[in-house]
Amino acid sequence: MTQVIGRQARCAIARGVDLLGDKWALLIAREACWGRTRFSEFRRNLGIAPDVLANRLAALVHEGVLERRAYRDTGARAREEYVLTPAGHDLLLVLAGLAHWGREHRPLPESSSPVYTDADTGEQVELCFVTKDGRRVELDRVDAGTGPAE
């Protein structure tokens, strides 16, 4: 059971799941990482009901994952778009981890999967654990446990 102080979970994973444990929140974050910013884009690409999308966007804005910015297309009224904050951009690590896990453990023939590349070189990249001095640690050599937050 998650340890809670007041209404705040002490475990960092539990706090993340509180916000992102809903499939729509993660899929909205995925779309935002892929450059989508507008309500209509999220709605079209996800097939999500407008009220559900509005609620999830509001929660992601409230929690600092997205921020609203005004924009105006030529000849149209002013609207708002949703742009990733630094915290939102950091979700790319979570999404890449989920994509890797899904490819490995939930494969589906003829499905698509995100590809992550170095923005400068175009070379494909992958997630890994590294020590502070940059040494790669293979997954079977990583121990998980609890410790103080840094």
Side-chain angles (χ1 to χ4, degrees), residues 32-101:
C33 285
W34 291 353
R36 315 283 192 264
T37 61
R38 298 183 179 182
F39 190 95
S40 61
E41 292 174 321
F42 293 120
R43 180 135 161 63
R44 179 182 61 246
N45 291 331
L46 296 173
I48 184 174
D51 60 326
V52 174
L53 177 57
N55 288 337
R56 295 313 183 280
L57 287 169
L60 292 168
V61 167
H62 178 75
E63 295 296 330
V65 172
L66 297 171
E67 66 181 19
R68 287 186 181 102
R69 288 191 191 157
Y71 75 92
R72 180 188 297 248
D73 288 332
T74 305
R77 68 179 175 88
R79 295 182 180 263
E80 289 186 326
E81 63 182 351
Y82 299 87
V83 180
L84 288 169
T85 64
H89 191 264
D90 282 353
L91 282 173
L92 194 56
L93 294 167
V94 175
L95 296 169
L98 283 171
H100 173 81
W101 187 88

Side-chain angles (χ1 to χ4, degrees), residues 18-19 21 30 48 52 62 67 69 76 87 104 118 125 140 149:
D18 282 346
L19 175 62
R30 178 197 70 189
I48 184 174
V52 174
H62 178 75
E67 66 181 19
R69 288 191 191 157
E104 295 295 316
D118 183 311
V125 296
D140 64 350

